[in-house]
């Protein structure tokens, strides 16, 4: 097996390029690519976006430790609590279920959980004013039904020991509204229901719903459950996020900056890669990661591309950019031709990886293959080089005969 294996890195690989390339080489050799020349260039350093000093663009930071330790306001805690509920609408009911339950058995008395579920089964959306909320009666009815059959509800009622507890019905109403918000969170901002962007309206809906669900039996509201939820939200409502903003903004901005830079200055990156790839000994296999894959799909879709006998994209977003007409030459209108043969490697745990075959129906020699590093996102996006299957797929698809593109 002879030829050249050329590595095109993605975003965020500058200072660590040498280490990444060494790992890539070691794993490729271990997979049996012994006689293949393996190389790559730090295009990000040479022609990529400049490193940005994020601190220069951030708002002024507190000067004293006391400012970071400052207690969150009630409004901040409320926002944090709803953020938690939208992520997990049943969280507050789970917290209630952790309270000490009354395990006594009352003969001939209907269990509180059954009473709560029975009331919820009789619920009619007509009893709640939904005008202006952006929520339909069908949505509200479905959310009530979903919460009614949820196990955390029964556990919470058993722990509280009463079907008339005002705190319980408040928590149930918040769970129902959070369920609606969770179901709508992928909708474009202009189409979100009003309660998703109007906190006071959302809270009025919660109160009205709690009254409607509990009926005349709704007892005193002590806010005990609400306080437990707010205590969890304290950590994300205080100055800790501000304190650590630079730490998580810097890598995020480097990624976004690389993508934006490529979209505006991509011709420089493509020219750089074309010049280097054009000097390689055939057969040439290019393995391109993330943004590097976008650059290679762009380059090989242009007229007179350099010779590449196999393109391997790893964790690539090029299929999505094609779908939104964001590539340089390959367009949904029919312009350009996808590079082939094309091996596209993805990982279900990598939220930045996508499949290519279905995006180009009818085009032969495009193959999607899955690997799994066993780690979650975002680490999964950088874990491909530690998975032996990645290099096994490259070796298995190594060109048998040199093929000149365009001939």
């Amino acid at each position: 097996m002879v030829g050249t294996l050329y590595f095109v890195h993605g975003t965020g690989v500058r200072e660590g390029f040498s280490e990444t390339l060494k790992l890539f080489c070691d794993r490729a050799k271990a997979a049996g690519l012994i006689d293949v020349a393996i190389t790559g260039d730090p295009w990000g350093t040479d022609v990529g976006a400049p490193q940005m000093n994020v601190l220069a663009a951030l708002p002024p930071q507190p000067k004293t430790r006391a400012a970071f330790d400052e207690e969150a306001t009630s409004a901040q805690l409320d926002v944090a609590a709803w953020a938690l509920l939208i992520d997990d609408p049943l969280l507050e009911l789970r917290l209630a279920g952790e309270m000490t339950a009354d395990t006594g058995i009352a003969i001939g008395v209907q269990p509180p959980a059954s009473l709560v579920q029975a009331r919820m089964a009789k619920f009619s959306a007509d009893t709640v004013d939904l005008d202006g909320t952006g929520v339909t009666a069908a949505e509200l009815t479905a959310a009530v039904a979903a919460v009614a059959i949820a196990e955390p509800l029964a556990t919470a009622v058993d722990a509280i020991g009463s079907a008339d507890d005002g705190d319980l019905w408040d928590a149930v109403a918040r769970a129902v509204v959070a369920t609606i918000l969770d179901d709508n969170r992928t909708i474009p901002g202009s189409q979100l229901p009003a309660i998703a962007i109007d906190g006071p309206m959302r809270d009025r809906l919660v109160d009205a719903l709690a009254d409607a669900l509990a009926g005349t039996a709704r007892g005193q509201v002590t806010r005990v459950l609400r306080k437990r939820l707010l205590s969890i939200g304290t950590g994300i409502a205080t100055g800790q996020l501000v304190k650590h903003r630079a730490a998580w903004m810097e890598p995020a901005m480097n990624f976004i900056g690389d993508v934006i830079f490529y979209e505006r200055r991509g011709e420089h990156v493509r020219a750089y890669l074309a010049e280097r790839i054009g000097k390689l000994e055939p057969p040439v296999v290019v393995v391109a990661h993330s943004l590097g894959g976008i650059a290679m799909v762009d380059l090989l879709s242009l007229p007179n591309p350099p010779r590449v006998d196999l393109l391997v994209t790893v964790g690539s977003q090029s299929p999505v950019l094609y779908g939104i007409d964001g590539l340089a030459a390959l367009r949904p209108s029919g312009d350009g031709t996808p590079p082939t043969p094309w091996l596209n490697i993805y990982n279900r745990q990598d939220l930045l990886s996508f499949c290519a075959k279905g995006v180009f129906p009818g085009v032969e020699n495009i193959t999607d293959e899955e690997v799994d590093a066993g780690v979650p996102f975002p680490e999964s996006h950088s874990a491909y080089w530690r998975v032996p299957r990645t290099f096994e797929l490259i070796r298995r698809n190594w060109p048998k005969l040199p093929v000149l593109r365009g001939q």
Side-chain angles (χ1 to χ4, degrees), residues 73-115:
T73 65
S74 60
Q76 289 173 321
L77 288 173
D78 192 56
V79 170
W82 275 103
L84 292 169
L85 283 174
I86 295 172
D87 280 338
D88 181 2
L90 301 176
L91 174 61
E92 191 174 4
L93 294 176
R94 289 193 178 90
L95 293 175
E98 295 173 358
M99 299 170 62
T100 302
D102 180 5
T103 57
I105 299 176
I107 304 300
V109 177
Q110 189 174 6
S114 298
L115 288 171

Side-chain angles (χ1 to χ4, degrees), residues 8-19:
V8 180
H9 71 75
T11 61
V13 181
R14 284 185 173 85
E15 293 84 357
F17 174 74
S18 297
E19 292 79 3

Side-chain angles (χ1 to χ4, degrees), residues 102-292:
D102 180 5
T103 57
I105 299 176
I107 304 300
V109 177
Q110 189 174 6
S114 298
L115 288 171
V116 168
Q117 290 171 331
R119 289 179 191 171
M120 295 180 73
K122 296 177 182 178
F123 170 75
S124 172
D126 294 338
T127 60
V128 179
D129 182 9
L130 295 177
D131 186 40
T133 64
V135 178
T136 67
E139 284 179 306
L140 182 60
T141 301
V144 169
V147 173
I149 62 174
E151 183 178 348
L153 172 63
T155 304
V157 178
D158 288 343
I160 292 171
S162 170
D164 300 328
D165 185 88
D167 270 1
L168 169 67
W169 288 111
D170 263 4
V172 170
R174 281 191 288 271
V176 170
V177 172
T179 297
I180 295 172
L181 294 175
D182 183 33
D183 289 342
N184 282 276
R185 71 188 317 174
T186 58
I187 292 177
S190 61
Q191 300 175 27
L192 283 170
I195 61 166
I197 51 179
D198 187 331
M201 178 180 288
R202 175 203 60 211
D203 294 340
R204 289 193 295 271
L205 177 59
V206 168
D207 288 339
L209 180 58
D211 288 337
L213 289 170
T216 57
R218 189 182 183 200
Q220 181 181 4
V221 180
T222 61
R223 308 296 183 192
V224 173
L225 296 182
R226 181 68 168 162
K227 290 175 183 176
R228 295 193 70 184
L229 177 63
L230 292 178
S231 68
I232 294 179
T234 300
I236 64 173
T238 62
Q240 293 304 308
L241 275 183
V242 175
K243 182 177 179 180
H244 297 292
R245 184 179 180 185
W248 61 262
M249 273 294 294
E250 188 165 5
M253 281 305 300
N254 285 337
F255 174 83
I256 296 171
D258 280 337
V259 173
I260 293 175
F261 174 86
Y262 176 78
E263 287 297 306
R264 293 297 300 272
R265 306 283 186 265
E267 67 275 11
H268 301 302
V269 177
R270 293 190 291 271
Y272 175 95
L273 294 173
E275 191 270 334
R276 281 154 176 77
I277 293 172
K279 298 177 180 179
L280 301 178
E281 187 70 25
V284 176
V285 174
V286 174
V287 177
H289 179 231
S290 192
L291 180 58

